[in-house]
Amino acid sequence: MKSRVCVGMVGFGTVGTGVAKILTQNGALIRRRVGVPVELVRVADLDITTDRGVRLPQGVLTSDVRAVLEDPSIDIVLELIGGYDAAKRVILDAMAKGKQVVTANKALLAVHGEELFEAAARHRVDLGFEASVGGGIPVIRALTEGLAANTILSIYGIINGTANYILSRMSREGHAFQEVLTEAQRAGYAEADPTLDVAGIDSAHKLSIMVSLAYGTPVNFKEIYTEGITKITPLDITYAGEFGFTIKLLAIAKFLDGEIEARVHPTMIPSSSPVAQVEGVYNAIQLVGDAVNDIVFYGQGAGSMPTGSAVVSDVIAIARNLLKGASGRVPPASFQSDQRRPLRIRPMEEIATFYYMRFMVQDRPGVLSQISGVLGRHGISISSVLQKGRQEGQTVPVVIMTHTATERDIQASLREIDRMAFISEPTTLIRVEGHGE
Amino acid sequence: MKSRVCVGMVGFGTVGTGVAKILTQNGALIRRRVGVPVELVRVADLDITTDRGVRLPQGVLTSDVRAVLEDPSIDIVLELIGGYDAAKRVILDAMAKGKQVVTANKALLAVHGEELFEAAARHRVDLGFEASVGGGIPVIRALTEGLAANTILSIYGIINGTANYILSRMSREGHAFQEVLTEAQRAGYAEADPTLDVAGIDSAHKLSIMVSLAYGTPVNFKEIYTEGITKITPLDITYAGEFGFTIKLLAIAKFLDGEIEARVHPTMIPSSSPVAQVEGVYNAIQLVGDAVNDIVFYGQGAGSMPTGSAVVSDVIAIARNLLKGASGRVPPASFQSDQRRPLRIRPMEEIATFYYMRFMVQDRPGVLSQISGVLGRHGISISSVLQKGRQEGQTVPVVIMTHTATERDIQASLREIDRMAFISEPTTLIRVEGHGE
């Protein structure tokens, strides 16, 4: 039996600092849970001078990544540098040397996950990535273990704290996107380049990982429809509220007749639903299983210590495997590697849901009849119309909520309608979930 | 390598039926996750004639529990009969025969957990009990694995669906406890004898299990203060609302200076908190860890299929262990069996929190001064007073909210106050959490 488990860390940034603090502060607790000490023996980072507020023993910190990868005492390598090429090299090199790996790198997993899963299976090592989705929320473990008895029927996730923070403040204060973004950047809640967050790409990375685990299918990341929150206006937030809805950037997956829907976009959901209550930088993921029904996980989706908690939970799980010689006990992709089956991800035009459309029109007789005529010809049934403050000859918003319609029909209708002379700007389209017929 | 994993089930009631349905309907999925088939080969129940809506192969159903325990092909025994003596015998007999065990029996675990944990360690078998707390919510796994890197600072749980259903309806409709209980019994949401649920005992069972896992300590179930919802009135619910609070039956644990608070009682919590939104038969558990901060798990805490989902998640975890020869990989008590340490559970009189008190008084001059005088002498500081609809000479409610006070001082004050001539009935005391100073 091993007398200790040795951890080497590559990347001593925000998450790495959290991991180092947890392994230090909660070392005694972790030892009581695992049975032997779990020790951080090497930390590699290009910057070995900045004070991160955590004291490492002499000789642990190094600027040489090979000092981690080539140390035969190291059992588990943590890849916490982010990005694609260098991170992938660290992971594959570590695996090739028979080391277990933990990563928080959702972008890498979303794009190169299959290659990493395959390498883990080939080298018979564990690959942990609880930290890649939902920060400290143990949702990966829920998909691979806690809800493993279920066919997952749907996934709804608020899984980007920056976007949720911005939408929450827009909803509360009525301010425009750009204004709130600038404030969020000043307060440290948004990056200088916020594209990954506000364009929905980070959410799509995380959704890709969840879909892969939930359905045992490889996912081509490019097939996930991704739309951000940059075009959401206070006006649409207000209208949503009048219909009893809240706008959230939602990552959505559904299992339908052996095929999958997987998409990220601003979504109107009933304000009374648990997920709609999630404010600020919090994340929430609702999983619906055929046996368990709906389960919601809620917590901090980012940050040094919450994300560090997830990384160390993987370290503990892997240490427990090492002590029993049980690496690979749960395959990283959750399904046995020979049991993954490619499922078709439906192109966006095939999805069917409810829609909110805000037309900006010259207010004159016959406008509504022309719009509704086009919708009717495409088989789209209207559930509500909202038109306020009529001002003949002025530009006014006309809001239409539909019954279930297909994206194809909606887009075809909008192409026709947006060409009409009385339309003064491109129509705003927001998808609606959880409406019921 | 084993070519299949065989399951024997004792008890074919509500949960057993859910388990059988899941293993049948999702058998192919489970096989893809585990690598080999997981087969239900024996089901023992005294009633072998009732149609449960699930078809078992010929010869599986038996009225003889020994047919399960003595079948050498059976790897995992599911104890789903409930109760104490017979259930314990099934579990210990199965373990003695080297079989892994899964149970949903929270009462048994709360009272005899240490004996079962010890037996599992001695026989080197796994004991799964995800279904014992929160139905389908994977909260046991969160405590033992997902949040294993954390010192758990507190646990707040709405973990009894019947009590929550009754309180939710009382809050919404303003009806009295007894009236709502009767309706709940008629609708099947409450048992004919609802004592376990409405007196808080079931919640205390579940809290006892969570405390044991979170803190690595044996728990003497009798040390958990337990108070039910039978004395909650619509009047108190209304007053709570005026202060911005909702009344929930909460199971509470806190880790304070190496000691533990563990108590179940009706609690006022801020109506804006995520846990306060939990309505009807849903459960929610908030765990606060020193690294991860607050995490909330939400879902259906009872029912055939949700609870079955939890049982089968344990079956899958144990099957994965069996295939790797890794039984005991995670000790059932979450800490290594030689690493559990008895922690002191603080007697109720030592706890300190906020309090709501409703005094029923003869409305005459000087009453408030006498009440507040007693509180002041016991060092209790008042944060708000509410007295409405004064009717000189009549009995009226006077509501007082306190700053942090100890239970000892509050009880001593009430003993004095309730003896006073102007007090017309015993004072209602409801503890308040999450108030902030």
Side-chain angles (χ1 to χ4, degrees):
Chain A
M1 173 112 161
K2 293 174 72 70
S3 63
R4 61 177 193 160
V5 171
C6 293
V7 176
M9 186 161 85
V10 181
F12 198 20
T14 305
V15 178
T17 301
V19 170
K21 283 182 182 166
I22 293 167
L23 287 174
T24 308
Q25 290 164 16
N26 288 346
L29 173 80
I30 292 166
R31 178 181 187 156
R32 290 175 60 203
R33 289 191 182 278
V34 171
V36 302
V38 175
E39 291 173 13
L40 186 60
V41 298
R42 278 282 183 187
V43 176
D45 197 287
L46 293 179
D47 170 5
I48 58 169
T49 55
T50 298
D51 180 6
R52 279 99 168 170
V54 54
R55 189 189 303 262
L56 298 177
Q58 194 69 32
V60 168
L61 192 57
T62 170
S63 59
D64 182 8
V65 65
R66 286 170 307 174
V68 173
L69 295 174
E70 290 171 10
D71 182 337
S73 80
I74 289 177
D75 303 292
I76 309 174
V77 170
L78 316 184
E79 181 282 296
L80 302 174
I81 52 176
Y84 295 95
D85 292 350
K88 193 167 115 181
R89 244 186 347 261
V90 166
I91 293 174
L92 294 177
D93 280 5
M95 287 179 176
K97 294 194 164 65
K99 296 183 191 306
Q100 324 294 314
V101 174
V102 177
T103 178
N105 194 329
K106 55 242 175 185
L108 181 64
L109 285 161
V111 177
H112 299 290
E114 291 306 313
E115 185 180 346
L116 300 181
F117 296 162
E118 188 274 325
R122 184 157 32 89
H123 295 296
R124 298 165 189 273
V125 295
D126 281 328
L127 172 64
F129 48 92
E130 182 63 76
S132 66
V133 182
I137 303 169
V139 64
I140 296 297
R141 215 159 245 106
L143 285 166
T144 58
E145 306 195 57
L147 305 186
N150 290 262
T151 300
I152 301 295
L153 304 177
S154 62
I155 300 171
Y156 292 93
I158 295 175
I159 46 181
N160 183 278
T162 302
N164 199 52
Y165 174 84
I166 292 172
L167 284 177
S168 296
R169 288 202 54 182
M170 286 176 70
S171 298
R172 212 167 45 236
E173 297 160 13
H175 295 163
F177 169 78
Q178 190 57 54
E179 190 179 340
V180 175
L181 171 61
T182 306
E183 279 177 48
Q185 286 171 318
R186 227 177 276 137
Y189 291 122
E191 307 272 346
D193 177 357
T195 312
L196 277 177
D197 297 317
V198 301
I201 300 164
D202 175 72
S203 293
H205 284 149
K206 294 165 179 168
L207 182 64
S208 169
I209 295 168
M210 289 196 286
V211 167
S212 170
L213 302 184
Y215 303 110
T217 178
V219 176
N220 179 351
F221 175 68
K222 289 178 189 150
E223 291 181 27
I224 297 182
Y225 175 84
T226 306
E227 181 185 317
I229 61 168
T230 54
K231 289 180 188 159
I232 298 297
T233 66
L235 186 62
D236 297 308
I237 290 173
T238 301
Y239 281 130
E242 292 187 16
F243 286 108
F245 291 109
T246 300
I247 301 180
K248 294 289 185 188
L249 179 64
L250 228 58
I252 300 169
K254 297 184 187 181
F255 185 68
L256 298 164
D257 306 324
E259 299 186 339
I260 289 168
E261 280 185 19
R263 46 194 166 98
V264 172
H265 51 68
T267 311
M268 289 191 186
I269 53 175
S271 299
S272 59
S273 75
V275 174
Q277 324 285 330
V278 177
E279 295 273 337
V281 298
Y282 277 82
N283 279 199
I285 300 124
Q286 182 188 58
L287 303 175
V288 181
D290 63 345
V292 78
N293 296 319
D294 55 323
I295 296 271
V296 179
F297 301 87
Y298 169 93
Q300 295 188 6
S304 176
M305 295 297 280
T307 311
S309 167
V311 170
V312 178
S313 79
D314 279 340
V315 169
I316 291 171
I318 290 171
R320 285 167 161 168
N321 282 349
L322 284 170
L323 294 171
K324 288 283 185 182
S327 294
R329 177 185 161 274
V330 178
S334 170
F335 287 72
Q336 297 294 318
S337 53
D338 61 350
Q339 292 294 323
R340 290 169 57 81
R341 310 258 184 276
L343 294 180
R344 178 169 181 264
I345 294 186
R346 289 189 178 170
M348 194 61 183
E349 60 178 19
E350 290 182 24
I351 78 149
T353 186
F354 311 93
Y355 291 86
Y356 160 101
M357 290 175 281
R358 176 172 53 80
F359 304 94
M360 296 305 289
V361 305
Q362 298 290 323
D363 190 8
R364 59 189 196 213
V367 161
L368 188 56
S369 134
Q370 289 189 62
I371 292 175
S372 55
V374 173
L375 295 175
R377 275 202 309 284
H378 286 94
I380 296 163
S381 165
I382 294 172
S383 70
S384 320
V385 177
L386 196 70
Q387 182 172 1
K388 284 193 176 177
R390 307 203 53 172
Q391 299 168 275
E392 183 106 3
Q394 301 286 80
T395 295
V396 296
V398 171
V399 170
I400 287 180
M401 303 281 285
T402 73
H403 288 293
T404 301
T406 67
E407 184 87 10
R408 179 187 286 117
D409 290 332
I410 290 284
Q411 296 292 353
S413 301
L414 289 188
R415 277 191 299 273
E416 275 185 52
I417 292 168
D418 280 0
R419 274 199 310 261
M420 291 176 165
F422 58 79
I423 292 285
S424 63
E425 57 179 77
T427 296
T428 294
L429 179 74
I430 302 178
R431 296 163 193 94
V432 182
E433 291 283 331
H435 187 25
E437 271 292 28
Chain B
M1 174 116 157
K2 292 177 71 72
S3 64
R4 60 176 193 159
V5 170
C6 292
V7 176
M9 186 161 86
V10 181
F12 197 21
T14 306
V15 177
T17 301
V19 169
K21 283 183 182 165
I22 293 167
L23 287 174
T24 309
Q25 290 165 16
N26 287 346
L29 173 79
I30 292 166
R31 179 183 187 153
R32 289 175 61 203
R33 290 191 181 276
V34 172
V36 302
V38 175
E39 290 172 13
L40 186 61
V41 297
R42 279 282 183 186
V43 176
D45 196 287
L46 293 179
D47 169 5
I48 58 170
T49 53
T50 299
D51 181 5
R52 278 100 168 168
V54 56
R55 189 188 303 262
L56 297 178
Q58 193 70 31
V60 167
L61 192 58
T62 169
S63 59
D64 182 7
V65 64
R66 286 170 308 175
V68 173
L69 295 173
E70 289 171 10
D71 182 335
S73 79
I74 289 177
D75 304 293
I76 309 174
V77 170
L78 317 185
E79 182 280 298
L80 303 174
I81 51 177
Y84 294 96
D85 292 350
K88 193 167 114 182
R89 243 183 351 258
V90 166
I91 293 175
L92 293 177
D93 281 5
M95 286 181 176
K97 294 193 163 63
K99 298 185 190 305
Q100 324 294 315
V101 174
V102 177
T103 177
N105 193 330
K106 54 242 175 185
L108 181 63
L109 286 161
V111 178
H112 299 289
E114 291 306 312
E115 184 180 348
L116 301 180
F117 295 162
E118 188 273 326
R122 183 157 33 89
H123 296 295
R124 297 167 190 275
V125 296
D126 280 328
L127 172 64
F129 47 92
E130 182 63 75
S132 65
V133 182
I137 303 170
V139 65
I140 296 296
R141 220 160 239 106
L143 285 167
T144 57
E145 305 195 55
L147 305 187
N150 290 261
T151 300
I152 301 296
L153 303 178
S154 62
I155 300 171
Y156 291 92
I158 295 175
I159 46 182
N160 183 279
T162 301
N164 199 52
Y165 174 84
I166 291 172
L167 284 177
S168 297
R169 287 202 55 184
M170 287 176 68
S171 299
R172 213 168 45 238
E173 297 160 14
H175 294 163
F177 169 78
Q178 190 55 54
E179 190 178 342
V180 176
L181 171 62
T182 306
E183 280 178 47
Q185 286 172 319
R186 228 177 275 135
Y189 291 122
E191 307 274 347
D193 177 358
T195 312
L196 276 178
D197 297 318
V198 301
I201 300 163
D202 175 74
S203 293
H205 285 149
K206 294 165 179 168
L207 182 65
S208 168
I209 295 168
M210 290 197 285
V211 166
S212 170
L213 303 182
Y215 303 109
T217 179
V219 176
N220 179 351
F221 175 67
K222 289 178 190 150
E223 291 181 26
I224 297 182
Y225 175 82
T226 306
E227 179 186 317
I229 62 168
T230 52
K231 290 181 188 157
I232 298 295
T233 66
L235 185 62
D236 297 309
I237 291 173
T238 302
Y239 281 129
E242 293 188 16
F243 286 108
F245 290 108
T246 300
I247 300 179
K248 294 289 186 188
L249 179 64
L250 229 59
I252 300 170
K254 297 183 187 180
F255 185 68
L256 298 164
D257 307 324
E259 298 187 339
I260 290 168
E261 278 184 22
R263 45 195 166 97
V264 172
H265 51 68
T267 312
M268 292 193 184
I269 53 175
S271 299
S272 58
S273 75
V275 173
Q277 325 285 328
V278 176
E279 295 273 337
V281 298
Y282 278 83
N283 279 198
I285 299 124
Q286 181 188 58
L287 303 175
V288 180
D290 63 344
V292 78
N293 294 320
D294 54 320
I295 297 271
V296 179
F297 301 86
Y298 169 92
Q300 295 187 7
S304 176
M305 296 297 277
T307 310
S309 166
V311 170
V312 179
S313 79
D314 279 339
V315 169
I316 292 172
I318 290 171
R320 284 167 161 169
N321 282 348
L322 285 170
L323 294 170
K324 288 283 184 182
S327 295
R329 176 187 163 273
V330 178
S334 169
F335 287 73
Q336 298 294 318
S337 53
D338 61 351
Q339 292 295 323
R340 290 169 58 79
R341 308 259 185 276
L343 294 179
R344 179 170 180 263
I345 295 186
R346 289 189 179 173
M348 194 61 182
E349 58 177 19
E350 291 182 23
I351 77 151
T353 186
F354 311 93
Y355 291 86
Y356 160 101
M357 289 175 282
R358 176 171 54 79
F359 304 94
M360 296 305 288
V361 305
Q362 298 291 324
D363 192 8
R364 60 188 196 214
V367 161
L368 189 56
S369 135
Q370 290 188 61
I371 292 175
S372 55
V374 173
L375 296 176
R377 273 202 309 283
H378 286 94
I380 296 164
S381 164
I382 294 172
S383 71
S384 319
V385 177
L386 197 69
Q387 181 171 1
K388 285 189 176 177
R390 305 203 55 170
Q391 297 169 277
E392 185 107 0
Q394 299 287 83
T395 295
V396 296
V398 171
V399 170
I400 288 181
M401 302 281 283
T402 74
H403 288 295
T404 301
T406 67
E407 184 86 12
R408 179 185 287 119
D409 290 333
I410 290 284
Q411 296 292 355
S413 301
L414 289 187
R415 277 193 298 273
E416 276 184 50
I417 293 168
D418 279 1
R419 274 200 309 261
M420 290 176 166
F422 58 80
I423 292 286
S424 63
E425 59 178 78
T427 296
T428 295
L429 179 73
I430 301 179
R431 295 162 195 95
V432 182
E433 291 282 330
H435 187 25
E437 273 291 29

